[in-house]
Amino acid sequence: MESILAIGMPGGWEWIIIILVVLIFFGAKKIPELARGLGRGIREFKDATKEIKKDIEDSSKIEGENKA
């Protein structure tokens, strides 16, 4: 099982190559904008997930009160 995980994850040199390719394609000025956009997207996804969980919990509470 460990060999499968080791194949999928980049090691030290692979990360350096990935970072260099990103720098070449996007440039140093564009990377902070990309990181901010990624952070906003992750935050919106987490907020939406929390809202869905809250809606499910609220609806299950209402159904439980109606049955009692």
Side-chain angles (χ1 to χ4, degrees), residues 9-53:
M9 293 297 296
W13 282 107
E14 288 90 0
W15 280 114
I16 292 172
I17 293 171
I18 291 169
I19 291 169
L20 288 175
V21 169
V22 168
L23 279 172
I24 290 169
F25 278 127
F26 297 109
K29 293 182 180 180
K30 199 72 169 173
I31 291 175
E33 291 177 31
L34 293 171
R36 271 192 293 277
L38 182 63
R40 284 188 200 121
I42 292 171
R43 189 176 331 117
E44 288 178 17
F45 181 76
K46 285 182 179 180
D47 291 344
T49 304
K50 287 178 185 177
E51 186 175 326
I52 291 170
K53 285 181 182 178

